[in-house]
Amino acid sequence: MIELYTSPTPNGWKASITLEELEIPYEVTPIRLDKLDQKAEWFLKLNPNGRIPVIVDHDDGDFAVFESGAIMVYLAEKAGRLLPSDERGRSLVMQWLMFQMGGIGPMQGQANVFFRYAPEKIQYAIDRYQNETRRLYEVLDTRLSDHEWLAGDYSIADIANWSWVSIHGWAGVETDDLAHLSRWKDAIKERPAVQRGRAVPEAPEPTEENAAGIAEQGKKILI
Ligand SMILES: N[C@@H](CCC(=O)N[C@@H](CS)C(=O)NCC(=O)O)C(=O)O
């Protein structure tokens, strides 16, 4: 049994969608980021970085894994799916996974901070992070113009990038004119496992109507 410590955020969905796609049984322990559960002493023993997601593999001596990309690789290797074992196939998936981990995640995350949560409106920072996120989306769009999926067959690289792109509106970044990205985004959204994983843990989808309440909660993390 895998235990998943998570919250309704893109990095959390990467883990829950992967578990759903791989049909690995798991239990969810929801973490209240606004209450700073993730900074509690017991949680820091699982992840010294104080962030979600984390998994604990109770079938393997309670082995804990943090960092969403590392969790995805761990689970894919355990199940023998969504990450090829041949050198080139594996490298391609890792390239597009790292593209998300080092690019889209940090840049879109900062776009969220300056567009939604920052106490003062700093236009330079908003533009910088929204433009960089959009540039990274264009890189995905170009890749998807002649590839059905990012790296060979559907893989953890698609799940990782999709989990962030799926919430582009929260960062204030448009994708409607990116035809290839939209085709890929819609195809992944249709997958039942993705729909199940995206609903873990249950939470309202951010919209402009509930934005103020969600932003208030988000601000509590920025200590
Ligand atoms: N590189 C980490 C980032 C994890 C991360 O930033 N998680 C956010 C939610 S998406 C979090 O736990 N934030 C709470 C905090 O910063 O205290 C990963 O990919 O797992």
Side-chain angles (χ1 to χ4, degrees), residues 9-12 14 33 36 38-39 49-53 66-69 101 164 221:
T9 74
N11 288 321
K14 286 162 60 180
L33 298 180
L36 302 182
Q38 72 279 18
K39 309 298 181 204
N49 195 28
R51 295 191 165 196
I52 65 91
F66 66 90
E67 282 295 322
S68 54
M101 291 294 291
W164 278 90
I221 304 171

